[in-house]
Amino acid sequence: MRVTFVITLLSLFSSVASAADVCPEFANMVSVISADGAKGKELGLEKAVAKQKKKGIYRGHDNSIRLEAPTAKMAVDSSQSFAFKPFNPSFHPAQQIKLYPFNTKKQFRELSVGGTNMWGGSKNRKSADNSIELSFEKISDGCYKVTPAGTLPKGEYAFSLASVGLGASADVKGTSAGYGSSTSGQTWFGFSIK
C-alpha cells in the first residue's frame, strides 16, 4: 500500500513538472515542444505590419500581412507540436489561435489577405481562409498541446493569437480584410520548417 502511494505521488509530481516545463510562462504565448516532449521553448514574437499594394490600373489594391525578415528566428521539425496558453481560458483555444503559411520575399514574409478592386468592391472571395487546421489536447489547466493537421511542408509559418473577449480576432481573412486589414489586437509567433 505504501509503495503504491509513493509511486502515485511521484507520478503526480512528474506530470505537473512536465506540464510546467512544456507550457509557456505567460498567457497568449506559444512554445514549441521538444522532440522528447520534456520541455518547451517559446517562439519568438514577430513584428507584423498590414500592407496595401496597388495592382495595375484595373486590379485595385491587394492587402497582406508582413512579418519582418525573410525567415523566422526559430526552425522546428515538421513532427513537433506546440504548447499554447490562452489569453482567456473561458473561450475554446480554437477561437484564440490560428496557423498560417507565409510566402518568403527578399526582406519579409507575406500572407495575402484579400483586397479591393478599382470600384471599391472586395476581393475577399478570391482570398479564402487558408489557415491550417489545428487539434487541441489539454496538458494542464490553462495550457493546450497544439498539433497541426497533417505534416507541414518546408516553409515559413506563423501563429496568429487574438485577444478574445477584448474585440480582437486571430482570423486575418474575411469581411473586413478586403478594406484594409489590421493587425490590431493580434500577436504573431513565427517559425520555419527546414
Side-chain angles (χ1 to χ4, degrees), residues 88-103:
N88 189 336
S90 300
F91 291 90
H92 192 282
Q95 295 174 282
Q96 300 180 64
I97 186 171
K98 282 198 163 202
L99 178 61
Y100 291 99
F102 277 72
N103 295 319

Side-chain angles (χ1 to χ4, degrees), residues 27-75:
N28 220 29
M29 299 282 293
V30 181
S31 294
V32 61
I33 300 174
S34 62
D36 62 4
K39 59 185 175 181
K41 184 174 182 181
E42 290 181 356
L43 293 179
L45 184 62
E46 299 276 357
K47 182 177 180 185
V49 178
K51 287 288 187 180
Q52 189 175 61
K53 184 176 181 182
K54 187 164 175 72
K55 285 292 194 177
I57 298 172
Y58 300 110
R59 288 200 50 219
H61 292 85
D62 287 348
N63 293 336
S64 65
I65 303 292
R66 290 184 182 177
L67 302 177
E68 288 186 340
T71 60
K73 294 176 185 172
M74 185 177 295

Side-chain angles (χ1 to χ4, degrees), residues 57 78 105 165 182 193:
I57 298 172
S78 61
K105 304 293 183 181
S182 170
I193 301 285

Side-chain angles (χ1 to χ4, degrees), residues 73-87:
K73 294 176 185 172
M74 185 177 295
V76 303
D77 189 87
S78 61
S79 63
Q80 287 180 282
S81 293
F82 302 87
F84 169 55
K85 188 178 273 192
F87 181 75

Side-chain angles (χ1 to χ4, degrees), residues 65-144:
I65 303 292
R66 290 184 182 177
L67 302 177
E68 288 186 340
T71 60
K73 294 176 185 172
M74 185 177 295
V76 303
D77 189 87
S78 61
S79 63
Q80 287 180 282
S81 293
F82 302 87
F84 169 55
K85 188 178 273 192
F87 181 75
N88 189 336
S90 300
F91 291 90
H92 192 282
Q95 295 174 282
Q96 300 180 64
I97 186 171
K98 282 198 163 202
L99 178 61
Y100 291 99
F102 277 72
N103 295 319
T104 301
K105 304 293 183 181
K106 288 183 180 179
Q107 297 179 349
F108 53 87
R109 289 157 282 158
E110 185 172 52
L111 171 66
S112 178
V113 295
T116 56
N117 60 34
M118 70 177 264
W119 296 280
S122 174
K123 290 184 183 179
N124 288 324
R125 67 183 186 282
K126 296 179 182 177
S127 183
D129 182 0
N130 67 341
S131 63
I132 297 164
E133 186 178 342
L134 301 172
S135 63
F136 300 92
E137 179 184 334
K138 188 173 185 178
I139 297 173
S140 64
D141 283 342
C143 185
Y144 294 85

